[in-house]
Amino acid sequence: MTSILADGRGFFWVMAGLILSAMPSPIWGQASPAVVISQIYGGGGNSGAILRNDFIEILNRGKSAVDVSGWTVQYAAAGGTSWDRTVLSGSIQPGQYYLVQEIEGSVGTVSLPRFDASGGLSLSATSGKVALVSDGVNLVGSAPAGSRVVDFVGYGQANASRTSPAGVLSNTTAAIRRSGGCADSGNNSADFSVGSPTPRNSGSPRNPCSPIGPQITQLGVVNAGSYSPGAIAPGEIITIFGSGLGPAVLNTLQLTTDRRFLTTSLGGTRVLFDGVPAPMIYARDEQVSVIVPYAIAGRPVDSEVRVEYSGNLSNAVRLPVTQSAPSIFTADASGKGQGAILNQNYSINRAGSPAEWGSVITIYATGGGLVVPATGDGKITDSELSRPSLEVSVQIGGVEAEVLYAGTAPQLVSGVLQVNAKIPEEFAASGPQSVFLRVGSGMSQQGVTVFVGATLATAGVPADIEARYQELKLEVNPTRLPEIPNDLIGLPQNWLGLISWNTQVGGTSTAAGATRPPMVAYALNRMFGGTYQVLAGQEVPSTESAEFLRTQLPGGTTQWRAAFTDTTDTMDSGFWYRTGITLRDHFSLFVTGHKDSTGHEISDSNLALHPPHVAQFEVEDFDFTLITVHLTFADGKTSESARELRNVLDYLDWYFGQPDHDPDVIVCGDFNTPSLLSGQKGQSGITIESVLDGDRRFGSGERRFVSVVHQPTSRSPSSAGGAPSGNYDHCLVSIYTLREFIQGRRVETTVLTDHPEDPEVRLTSDHFPIVAFFRTRGSGIALDRKTRIRMHSDSLPTGVRVPEN
């Protein structure tokens, strides 16, 4: 046994909190909530429809009233990651329906009955996703999870649902929950039928459907580490989802009077396995967590499970029994991602604190089966340790790791399995690595990772920067920053806000009184209260348009300067930056070096249809080279966008080859190519990463780039509501820029759509702005003072041209 068990015992209480307090968060795929979505209709006002409006109907299946004030119903497209919402209010009584009226169409003859709430969601008539959420914060991602997602329904071709989606709908059909809204097996496909819409409101006849006593299902019994249903093992920590299982308020674990065991009753709830009460971890109405008694090992085939609450027994479910059902606890209790793992120095393993090669990590898991010597159910482990009766092995990054200890965890309950494993000294990989735990014939879930230290291939890149780089390669939707809870307030001191926006200034008249300019100014002034410092803009056709854009920025021409070159292309790119920021140099890339008779730089369309613009800025203690691009759309031919990006990489290859180059490089703009983490792909499967990874010049050291925006950034046509769609706009940051980098993401969609003249009809732009935040002062941030961004064209790679100094 290694010293990782000998010291730092107080930290195990911290780990207990990580494991036990995280587990109450339900996953929408398994919970059986009291309030459910009972009907969805998206064909209102469409061709052939009778009803004028879309609607969402919900039902209280429970036994007590539920106050839904501040709750929301939220909608996303079938394959979308962006959610819009309608806010609810009031209480819903047991058996009572609640009607939410949504957008009105142009066809239809019948209005909905009196609605209980109304909004402007435009539901797809055929396929989509609807969630009932216990707060007013917009969901993110294609399959959001967590305790705030009360119910979730995917229909048609939706890419997320509870188990499988309900059927495809039409202009004349709705998804209708069976049994008047009472059915809830945890499977949208089984629970919903497709039929004529029959909207019901709070005044409709009630349909009380909550039975007396708790209700559970076989699929609602899951491993507490992986959230997967299936066979149960002796000593496994499990979570049971259902209804009427316990008190409305969460009750957490209690100890017996001798403080050696967990109690087998909690808040009036007990869970019985073949009549044997199980140690309780927590209990509340819709879910409980317990430790499977070791006695089930004597069952020949399966075990009967019942939940008892206030003296009422649930229906019985029978679960197969297995020798082991290992799963690794994860840091966010989702069953995937970063494992609940400690490094050898007791620090929590994560991107900024990776495990070194040859060091020992501690993995926390459950489902290890019987232990020897035998221990009591729910016993708090003291100095007497027990080990699994089955053989234990660990794989890290596909490599077998030496197991130094596997057994009960000191100070934790006996259902927790602790495994100490050594990262192989010859391990050659870095960043997040897969980790698997095998106990006997049972294997833990896929998708769990451990961060391992950097390799020699990083060419001197510090470990913390390398770890942040690897983390960003997995970070799809960054969490909201507490310093700026929304995108309409000012930025903190010593932050740089870099906005990149395909503003499409050329798509509007610059005349006073034209429709679109006030909305452009409205958006530019709303973003972060107008406190951002640099705007990288695309689709600016002329010097006149560039100057007009400067007048629209917050503070106007007295507070902003422009770095813009007028070329013969009608969609130029450029920069607008605040006074007080130092611009060292700037030029248009891929121009011929000649001008036409009007003084425009002649662009080289063979290298880029729209010339990129390169500049170097100094903002307090942060200096960097910034490139804004607008890669060709070419009728959707991503291969042409990729070709132009490779030409930009040719320039960067020259740039990084100069001894006096600044290592901090940022490339932002409209790439017309999706990122890998967005889940979208361009023509022939092309992504930003496939272009970068396919170029060996940018595979190691300071030349590596990572994309930091993966949300949909292009607006759909007005006929589709103007919602976010394709992922085309990006900021690529070089690895050394991560010393200053804070976060990159799409700006809130309301920045554009809240204007009264632009209710999602794309008058402002068909792109949502993106933002990247950087620190400009602080530990480790210092001026590089390396200024070369261009030189004589004779010294450049073949085909790459920049103007001379």
Side-chain angles (χ1 to χ4, degrees), residues 343-344 354-361 396 404 421-425:
N343 296 321
Q344 185 165 312
E356 298 178 357
W357 304 326
S359 67
V360 177
I361 60 172
I396 299 173
L404 302 176
K422 185 177 182 181
I423 306 288
E425 292 183 6

Side-chain angles (χ1 to χ4, degrees), residues 678-725:
S678 72
Q680 302 177 16
K681 291 185 177 180
Q683 178 195 54
S684 304
I686 294 173
T687 63
I688 291 288
E689 288 78 8
S690 69
V691 178
L692 290 169
D693 294 346
D695 194 323
R696 294 184 178 181
R697 299 173 298 177
F698 296 88
S700 63
E702 66 174 359
R703 291 170 171 242
R704 286 175 295 164
F705 285 81
V706 61
S707 179
V708 297
V709 179
H710 308 289
Q711 298 96 326
T713 54
S714 297
R715 295 178 78 175
S716 62
S718 57
S719 59
S725 54

Side-chain angles (χ1 to χ4, degrees), residues 255 385 415 544 634 637:
L255 299 179
L385 304 177
E544 179 188 16
K637 295 178 181 177

Side-chain angles (χ1 to χ4, degrees), residues 243-438:
S243 62
L245 307 184
V249 178
L250 179 69
N251 279 231
T252 55
L253 61 83
Q254 296 178 0
L255 299 179
T256 55
T257 55
D258 61 7
R259 305 191 66 79
R260 296 180 60 209
F261 296 87
L262 300 188
T263 61
T264 56
S265 178
L266 195 60
T269 297
R270 296 197 307 165
V271 179
L272 307 174
F273 291 77
D274 303 315
V276 177
M280 300 285 300
I281 295 175
Y282 63 80
R284 68 183 186 197
D285 178 67
E286 76 282 6
Q287 67 184 91
V288 298
S289 184
V290 299
I291 305 172
V292 177
Y294 287 109
I296 71 161
R299 302 296 300 174
V301 179
D302 55 22
S303 178
E304 180 187 88
V305 181
R306 290 179 183 267
V307 177
E308 179 187 73
Y309 177 56
S310 296
N312 296 314
L313 278 172
S314 75
N315 58 302
V317 298
R318 304 200 69 86
L319 298 171
V321 175
T322 184
Q323 288 185 308
S324 68
S327 70
I328 299 173
F329 290 111
T330 56
D332 63 358
S334 68
K336 294 184 181 297
Q338 173 66 52
I341 296 171
L342 296 182
N343 296 321
Q344 185 165 312
N345 63 357
Y346 306 111
S347 63
I348 296 175
N349 180 268
R350 55 178 176 244
S353 180
E356 298 178 357
W357 304 326
S359 67
V360 177
I361 60 172
T362 299
I363 303 167
Y364 291 91
T366 191
L370 291 175
V371 295
V372 290
T375 185
D377 292 336
K379 182 182 179 182
I380 303 300
T381 300
D382 50 25
S383 58
E384 184 180 358
L385 304 177
S386 300
R387 298 174 181 253
S389 61
L390 302 171
E391 182 179 358
V392 177
S393 62
V394 172
Q395 276 192 354
I396 299 173
V399 178
E400 201 74 19
E402 180 183 1
V403 175
L404 302 176
Y405 170 77
T408 52
Q411 305 298 316
L412 296 185
V413 70
S414 56
V416 177
L417 173 64
Q418 174 181 322
V419 179
N420 298 345
K422 185 177 182 181
I423 306 288
E425 292 183 6
E426 67 278 11
F427 203 70
S430 64
Q433 303 297 318
S434 63
V435 55
F436 288 97
L437 172 66
R438 183 185 292 276

Side-chain angles (χ1 to χ4, degrees), residues 473-488:
K473 292 176 78 69
L474 297 174
E475 189 179 86
V476 179
N477 291 308
T479 56
R480 281 283 168 185
L481 297 165
E483 302 93 332
I484 47 170
N486 62 66
D487 293 353
L488 306 178

Side-chain angles (χ1 to χ4, degrees), residues 495-517:
W495 278 35
L496 167 65
L498 166 59
I499 303 290
S500 177
W501 188 17
N502 188 330
T503 54
Q504 301 172 322
V505 172
T508 182
S509 169
T510 58
T515 304
R516 184 168 165 264

